[in-house]
Amino acid sequence: MQNFFSGLYELFLGRPLPANFTNDYREVIFPNTGLMLLLITLALVLIYYYVLNSMMSTGLYKTKHWVLFLVLNAIIAFAIPIFQVQGNEVEVHSYTYTFAFVNTLYSIVLFFVFSILLKRGSVQAWTTPTKWPTKK
């Protein structure tokens, strides 16, 4: 898990900076951030499709409502790396904000993928954000 998330983030970011914190990023910050990203994104998708649009029947099934949850997820995903870096007493600088931006991009992709995979079980939002693939 540690190598997976380190490789995933370093693919776009390169080696962690400053160099004396490379091990902190690879061993703690990258894995914690990646795991939190997966869990929070999955939780928000489940809340959107199965709580708000299945159990509660709130009528938040339009694309604009889905985008609202996507933006909420992106904001949370931007904050996670910053808090992880600060919590591990690593210097916050431009690398940290680039890391947060990359995490935000990953969150958007994950939110879309989880939406496509999980929307079929929703009572009202099974066509959000797209009608493809259709419910059978």
Side-chain angles (χ1 to χ4, degrees):
M1 185 73 84
Q2 177 181 345
N3 290 334
F4 173 74
F5 286 119
S6 294
L8 191 63
Y9 287 114
E10 287 184 28
L11 179 68
F12 291 105
L13 296 169
R15 288 186 59 135
L17 296 173
N20 55 328
F21 291 114
T22 298
N23 287 338
D24 291 323
Y25 273 97
R26 287 181 178 165
E27 295 174 7
V28 179
I29 297 170
F30 286 156
N32 287 350
T33 300
L35 191 57
M36 288 177 71
L37 173 69
L38 285 172
L39 294 176
I40 290 171
T41 302
L42 181 60
L44 284 173
V45 169
L46 290 173
I47 288 169
Y48 178 76
Y49 285 106
Y50 295 102
V51 175
L52 295 178
N53 285 300
S54 284
M55 286 189 233
M56 294 178 63
S57 299
T58 58
L60 297 174
Y61 55 86
K62 295 181 180 175
T63 303
K64 67 181 178 181
H65 301 122
W66 181 85
V67 170
L68 200 67
F69 269 77
L70 177 74
V71 169
L72 174 65
N73 186 53
I75 291 168
I76 293 169
F78 187 84
I80 291 170
I82 296 169
F83 291 131
Q84 282 291 318
V85 168
Q86 290 173 341
N88 286 290
E89 299 175 4
V90 175
E91 183 181 329
V92 176
H93 55 83
S94 63
Y95 185 86
T96 307
Y97 294 108
T98 307
F99 173 36
F101 179 73
V102 167
N103 200 54
T104 301
L105 294 178
Y106 283 149
S107 77
I108 291 169
V109 170
L110 270 176
F111 195 88
F112 186 76
V113 169
F114 285 155
S115 291
I116 296 299
L117 294 174
L118 299 172
K119 72 180 187 167
R120 291 181 188 204
S122 178
V123 174
Q124 294 182 7
W126 63 271
T127 61
T128 308
T130 67
K131 290 185 181 183
W132 176 87
T134 58
K135 187 175 184 178
K136 293 182 182 185

